Amino acid sequence: MSVEMAEMQKKNSIPPIQFGEEVTGAETLLRCLLLEQVEYIFGYPGGAVLPIYDSLYGSYFKHILTRHEQGAIHAADGYARATGKPGVCIATSGPGATNLVTGIATAQMDSVPLVCITGNVAQSLIGTDAFQEANITGITVPITKHSYFVRDVRDLPRIVKEAFHIATTGRPGPVLIDIPKDVANAIAPFSYPETVNIRGYRAEVVPSDEDVQNFVAAVQSAKRPVIMAGGGIIAASADQELLAFAEKARIPVINTFMGLGGFPGVHELSLGMPGMHGNFTANQALLNADCVIGLGVRFDDRITMGRTKEFAPNARIVHVDIDPAELGKNVSTAVTVTGDVKNTLEKAIPHVTACDSEAWIKQLKDWQQKQPYKYKKDGDTIKPQAVIELLYRSTDGEAIVTTDVGQHQMWTAQYYKFKNARSFISSGGLGTMGFGFPAAIGAQIAHPERTTIAVVGDGGFQMTNQELAIVSQYNIPVKVAIVNNQCLGMVRQWQELFYDNRYSQIDLTCSPDFVKLAEAYGVKGLRATTPEEAEAAWAEALAHDGPVVVDFRVAQEENVYPMVAAGNTLDQMELGDD
Amino acid sequence: MQQQTLAVLVNDYPGVLTRVSTLFGQRAFNIDSITVGGTEEAGLSRMIITTGGDDRQIDQLMKQLNKLIDVISVTNLSANSYVSRELALIKVSASPSQLAELNGIVEPFRAAIVDVGPTSLIVQVTGDTEKIDALLVLLQNYGVLELTRTGSVAMARSIVPATAAATV
């Protein structure tokens, strides 16, 4: 941070930040967060973090009091994904800390920068099974990028500085800082380091010139190239570079689920999403390509189907990733570049020319025309796909859309054509139900001027719907679209297809009246049971200046197609009903 | 599956061993042996870890290890010539009257009898894994009551720099 910025923060902060002043660990923490330009904190107080909450009282920070710690961390996650800035959440010791676990694992799987602050019992009680004691650093070792247990208040500024550095550099990820209560209460002169020096941690991954040359040469020689652009494009803010590279090299682009929005879904070179529920053309592109250019992707098993030898059988695979451990992890590669995709593309663009790919592009467009996403329309019943089409049409693809996990998530990925990076926010790696609504709250707070829609299922919404209290309390105008099929739809689909229609424990007909539930929290609630009502209710929701819940009662027995069944390869795709 | 020996230089902080061992479990690798101790530099520890895997698996394991913030460097000692030693203490069922006979067995191994009791004695041996296994086979004839061994400590030979290509 520049001296000017630090001075500005000092002026903006309450109380003013004075270096050398004797302050508590709690005050130290908050002053460090201010110097990291943190604006919002999502959290839930408790005994072990009372010193921190006492210091928060009357401070500069905007604290969002969620109704569950899981809501706090998903909201922080949504804020981070929508902005690229680190999300910050606070929870108390024991159950408060363990309630963050799902959110931490979600962020780790999707490479989201978070700084999670937990309290712990005083060090004199550590290891005694004290009230609300949990070894949260131990619990979260496999699901954090790094974690700290603060033993000495004098270490706290360095640790906070390192935590933000680690969370936001290289491949981003969640970092946990566990602060025992005695450290939060301890007094020390305030300081904050200017720089970070972590031996063995390489934050900057700049591609070598030789690697970039090999990359360009491999791409240039291809006649049937396809770019597979992943979440790394968005994390690196490389969407403009990808656009320039693809247009200049004339290479079609597949966006993975995590990469949706990283390349405009309406672009002539866009092929959409590949994989298990991807479209016919994207999968055919992978099957027939002579060169697959993976940019910030990890070749997840929802795309390779775990059949990595049969994946892209005719292609040389070129892989660019900031994380060297991803190169060669899941698929064999011909050319690899260890590097930030933005830097790599910036270096490559001046050297690349148009590939001999026009015949290939024409072939792909033919496939797109012949096999688009499709579903049977029904005059009386709302089809879930039609709900997503309605959301897209009404917002022209400009909204921020978050989702839970399940059928509605896949339909959103299929039918909403995302134009912009950081506009699709969903739990791709861990597949966390209950993520969508609190994540939308974080995204909406980050971008109050943008329409933010939480597309949720009736199952996932019930995991975190208590956060309706926040949208009501702070008047956060999230539009919640419940794709309500009164069951756990994706589980139902698998039971239909692979378990002989034995619908075990998927019935959600005894759910609350979501309209009344919304109203109970002081939120506008609407319901639609026909296509006409759907149009009207959604128009009313968008026109309403505040949060709204719309309960779309959709056809129950609707399946997500296309589908590649688990264990099959991409050429064994079921296209579904015409 | 080949056995591989990795030297992992880490920060000497609490919990680092947990992070490293958890990573092995998380990535479905088995730890055959692990030894940890101080190094030539204060504040750093060196872990010598033996594990199994082909070249591709070990490459992936080394990259994953290197992602841990507390890991300074990872070297695959098996990629080049290296020296490896472990220590074993072996309690053998034997009476003092068998001392001379047992000495005759352990001496060629440059091992030593370091404790003698009425019904048992303890043999101390250092060497590579094969040597210790070989001595164990001979001592099994008397009855091995208890065995404890350290796992390998290892170091690259001087003629091959430890920073050869196998380091990430």
Side-chain angles (χ1 to χ4, degrees):
Chain A
M1 188 188 313
S2 69
V3 175
E4 292 78 18
M5 282 177 92
E7 286 300 318
M8 192 176 69
Q9 285 291 348
K10 281 185 212 173
K11 283 178 194 160
N12 289 342
S13 63
I14 303 170
I17 295 171
Q18 300 291 342
F19 289 88
E21 183 187 352
E22 296 272 331
V23 292
T24 65
E27 288 169 328
T28 298
L29 171 71
L30 295 180
R31 291 175 182 212
C32 295
L33 297 184
L34 276 175
L35 292 173
E36 288 296 332
Q37 303 180 61
V38 173
E39 190 179 5
Y40 284 97
I41 295 175
F42 302 86
Y44 203 102
V49 286
L50 278 179
I52 298 170
Y53 274 83
D54 187 59
S55 297
L56 261 176
Y57 191 75
S59 77
Y60 167 85
F61 287 104
K62 296 163 187 162
H63 180 276
I64 305 297
L65 174 65
T66 56
R67 298 304 187 260
H68 191 290
E69 289 86 353
Q70 192 173 349
I73 190 163
H74 290 332
D77 184 316
Y79 177 91
R81 294 192 205 216
T83 60
K85 298 179 195 169
V88 177
C89 62
I90 297 181
T92 193
S93 64
T98 56
N99 279 343
L100 296 181
V101 166
T102 300
I104 295 172
T106 303
Q108 171 81 346
M109 287 286 272
D110 290 347
S111 305
V112 177
L114 291 186
V115 175
C116 308
I117 295 152
T118 52
N120 213 327
V121 299
Q123 290 184 83
S124 58
L125 292 172
I126 292 281
T128 67
D129 298 326
F131 177 66
Q132 291 195 331
E133 182 194 356
N135 175 12
I136 193 63
T137 48
I139 289 169
T140 57
V141 160
I143 54 169
T144 49
K145 188 172 175 187
H146 193 53
S147 57
Y148 293 93
F149 178 77
V150 187
R151 291 165 193 281
D152 188 324
V153 68
R154 289 168 298 184
D155 294 334
L156 192 51
R158 173 186 58 80
I159 286 172
V160 174
K161 184 83 180 173
E162 288 182 3
F164 276 87
H165 180 68
I166 291 168
T168 55
T169 55
R171 181 176 181 173
V175 178
L176 181 131
I177 306 174
D178 194 30
I179 306 174
K181 197 169 183 180
D182 57 307
V183 171
N185 282 324
I187 304 281
F190 180 73
S191 65
Y192 200 58
E194 288 280 323
T195 56
V196 172
N197 181 21
I198 306 170
R199 187 171 169 187
Y201 176 64
R202 287 173 293 178
E204 298 295 325
V205 186
V206 180
S208 70
D209 291 343
E210 187 186 351
D211 279 357
V212 174
Q213 281 169 13
N214 291 338
F215 168 73
V216 171
V219 167
Q220 211 73 88
S221 62
K223 287 190 164 39
R224 298 188 309 280
V226 63
I227 292 169
M228 196 160 86
I233 293 291
I234 292 161
S237 299
D239 48 315
Q240 291 307 311
E241 289 74 14
L242 172 61
L243 183 63
F245 179 80
E247 286 181 342
K248 192 173 182 195
R250 296 294 295 162
I251 302 177
V253 179
I254 290 169
N255 282 112
T256 69
F257 179 83
M258 290 303 298
L260 289 172
F263 189 80
V266 291
H267 195 281
E268 55 137 355
L269 289 171
S270 173
L271 302 182
M273 184 176 75
M276 177 179 273
H277 292 300
N279 67 66
F280 177 82
T281 307
N283 284 345
Q284 284 298 318
L286 289 169
L287 290 165
N288 292 283
D290 63 355
C291 181
V292 172
I293 304 149
L295 301 176
V297 293
R298 58 191 176 88
F299 294 95
D300 173 71
D301 61 87
R302 278 293 190 269
I303 294 171
T304 66
M305 304 308 298
R307 302 276 296 267
T308 51
K309 287 196 172 65
E310 291 103 332
F311 173 75
N314 304 303
R316 299 176 79 212
I317 294 179
V318 179
H319 193 183
V320 181
D321 206 286
I322 197 164
D323 181 355
E326 289 302 336
L327 304 174
K329 186 179 86 173
N330 289 337
V331 295
S332 296
T333 48
V335 177
T336 61
V337 180
T338 305
D340 174 282
V341 283
K342 188 182 182 85
N343 292 341
T344 305
L345 292 177
E346 277 174 348
K347 279 184 151 187
I349 287 167
H351 305 291
V352 80
T353 56
C355 296
D356 180 15
S357 58
E358 291 310 316
W360 168 238
I361 291 170
K362 183 175 180 307
Q363 168 71 79
L364 293 167
K365 282 183 176 168
D366 286 348
W367 279 329
Q368 275 183 316
Q369 279 192 338
K370 284 177 188 160
Q371 294 290 354
Y373 289 125
K374 57 194 172 189
Y375 63 95
K376 269 188 187 170
K377 296 204 166 59
D378 183 330
D380 298 327
T381 313
I382 304 174
K383 284 299 183 88
Q385 300 93 328
V387 173
I388 309 302
E389 287 181 326
L390 171 61
L391 304 186
Y392 172 65
R393 207 168 53 243
S394 63
T395 57
D396 195 27
E398 296 288 351
I400 298 174
V401 179
T402 72
T403 78
D404 265 355
V405 170
Q407 288 182 314
H408 69 276
Q409 179 191 35
M410 290 300 120
W411 284 318
T412 303
Q414 292 176 339
Y415 287 91
Y416 198 100
K417 308 296 177 201
F418 293 93
K419 290 180 178 172
N420 308 305
R422 302 195 179 283
S423 61
F424 178 56
I425 294 173
S426 186
S427 170
L430 197 66
T432 306
M433 288 177 72
F435 173 83
F437 179 41
I441 293 168
Q444 181 76 84
I445 286 170
H447 294 291
E449 76 291 355
R450 292 184 65 183
T451 301
T452 301
I453 305 168
V455 182
V456 296
D458 44 324
F461 187 51
Q462 291 186 70
M463 291 189 173
T464 49
N465 65 15
Q466 75 283 351
E467 306 307 342
L468 282 167
I470 316 179
V471 295
S472 179
Q473 180 178 352
Y474 300 100
N475 194 32
I476 301 166
V478 169
K479 315 299 178 195
V480 181
I482 307 176
V483 181
N484 185 353
N485 58 8
Q486 300 185 68
C487 68
L488 295 173
M490 191 61 94
V491 182
R492 192 204 60 76
Q493 177 169 338
W494 281 53
Q495 287 174 342
E496 177 191 322
L497 298 176
F498 310 120
Y499 292 88
D500 197 23
N501 296 338
R502 289 160 60 86
Y503 295 129
S504 178
Q505 303 300 321
I506 49 121
D507 180 12
L508 296 180
T509 49
C510 190
S511 293
D513 179 327
F514 290 113
V515 173
K516 286 184 178 170
L517 180 75
E519 288 169 353
Y521 279 102
V523 172
K524 187 180 185 70
L526 299 166
R527 177 170 295 116
T529 57
T530 66
E532 293 73 27
E533 287 177 6
E535 296 275 349
W538 186 244
E540 188 177 348
L542 285 182
H544 179 65
D545 184 21
V548 186
V549 173
V550 184
D551 181 18
F552 291 100
R553 293 299 184 97
V554 300
Q556 188 174 55
E557 297 196 352
E558 192 72 17
N559 288 341
V560 182
Y561 286 112
M563 179 177 188
V564 181
N568 285 349
T569 52
L570 293 180
D571 59 345
Q572 296 166 304
M573 183 174 224
E574 295 169 43
L575 294 171
D577 297 334
D578 284 326
Chain B
M1 182 165 307
Q2 303 161 297
Q3 192 168 63
Q4 311 265 2
T5 301
L6 306 181
V8 186
L9 191 65
V10 298
N11 285 320
D12 181 16
Y13 294 154
V16 175
L17 179 59
T18 302
R19 291 182 198 279
V20 171
S21 58
T22 298
L23 187 143
F24 274 74
Q26 188 181 356
R27 300 286 170 185
F29 282 89
N30 186 46
I31 296 176
D32 295 328
S33 86
I34 184 166
T35 61
V36 189
T39 66
E40 65 284 358
E41 187 177 334
L44 298 183
S45 294
R46 185 170 280 109
M47 298 179 176
I48 303 297
I49 304 171
T50 56
T51 186
D54 59 29
D55 290 346
R56 187 172 162 274
Q57 290 169 322
I58 294 301
D59 178 61
Q60 172 63 202
L61 175 62
M62 290 173 70
K63 286 173 174 173
Q64 293 292 347
L65 281 169
N66 211 42
K67 282 170 68 173
L68 296 177
I69 304 296
D70 283 319
V71 169
I72 310 298
S73 69
V74 186
T75 306
N76 185 359
L77 296 174
S78 307
N80 292 294
S81 182
Y82 69 106
V83 178
S84 170
R85 295 286 182 271
E86 64 179 284
L87 167 69
L89 294 174
I90 309 160
K91 188 177 283 180
V92 181
S93 175
S95 64
S97 62
Q98 294 172 286
L99 197 56
E101 178 186 338
L102 277 158
N103 257 326
I105 290 172
V106 303
E107 268 181 16
F109 289 85
R110 295 185 186 173
I113 294 170
V114 295
D115 180 67
V116 179
T119 59
S120 66
L121 49 82
I122 297 175
V123 175
Q124 171 190 298
V125 59
T126 59
D128 61 24
T129 304
E130 282 183 5
K131 175 183 165 183
I132 292 170
D133 288 346
L135 178 58
L136 261 176
V137 168
L138 294 176
L139 295 178
Q140 295 285 7
N141 296 329
Y142 294 86
V144 173
L145 301 174
E146 198 177 337
L147 168 68
T148 182
R149 54 201 293 181
T150 59
S152 295
V153 291
M155 190 174 280
R157 286 193 183 278
S158 302
I159 53 166
V160 180
T163 52
T167 299
V168 295

